[in-house]
């Protein structure tokens, strides 16, 4: 399986629900999400040995992601748009 190093979700994305299999998370290093409201994130077959990519969000949306279910489990770093 090849590596997906970075996923970018633009501010105007229509993504509201995202379902990821844990096998893919081990290949994603960064997720840059510019949406003000975090998409609902669902992990199927999740185990205790999850690999979490780093999430980059605009500084003004940090607290929203830091308090959102599942997203709060990631390392969240801020970026300036």
């Amino acid at each position: 399986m090849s590596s997906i190093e970075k996923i970018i979700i633009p501010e105007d994305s229509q993504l509201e629900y995202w379902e990821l299999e844990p096998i893919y998370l081990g290949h994603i290093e960064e997720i840059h999400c510019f949406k003000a409201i975090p998409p609902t994130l669902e992990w199927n077959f999740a185990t205790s040995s999850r690999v979490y990519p780093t999430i980059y969000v605009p500084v003004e949306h940090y607290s929203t992601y830091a308090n959102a279910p599942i997203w709060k489990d990631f390392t969240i770093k801020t970026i300036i748009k």
Side-chain angles (χ1 to χ4, degrees), residues 8-81:
I8 299 173
I9 303 168
E11 185 175 17
D12 61 352
S13 169
Q14 298 299 310
L15 180 67
E16 294 181 12
Y17 176 83
W18 191 8
E19 186 172 350
L20 289 173
E21 300 294 331
I23 190 171
Y24 297 115
L25 282 177
H27 300 278
I28 300 170
E29 295 178 16
E30 300 177 4
I31 298 173
H32 293 244
C33 194
F34 293 92
K35 293 179 63 71
I37 299 173
T40 299
L41 183 60
E42 181 74 33
W43 287 10
N44 289 326
F45 312 107
T47 66
S48 60
S49 61
R50 293 179 180 166
V51 175
Y52 297 92
T54 301
I55 307 299
Y56 293 87
V57 300
V59 66
E60 62 269 22
H61 303 317
Y62 176 82
S63 63
T64 304
Y65 283 81
N67 292 304
I70 298 184
W71 290 97
K72 66 183 180 184
D73 296 333
F74 290 86
T75 298
I76 302 171
K77 296 187 178 182
T78 58
I79 53 177
I80 298 173
K81 295 196 273 182

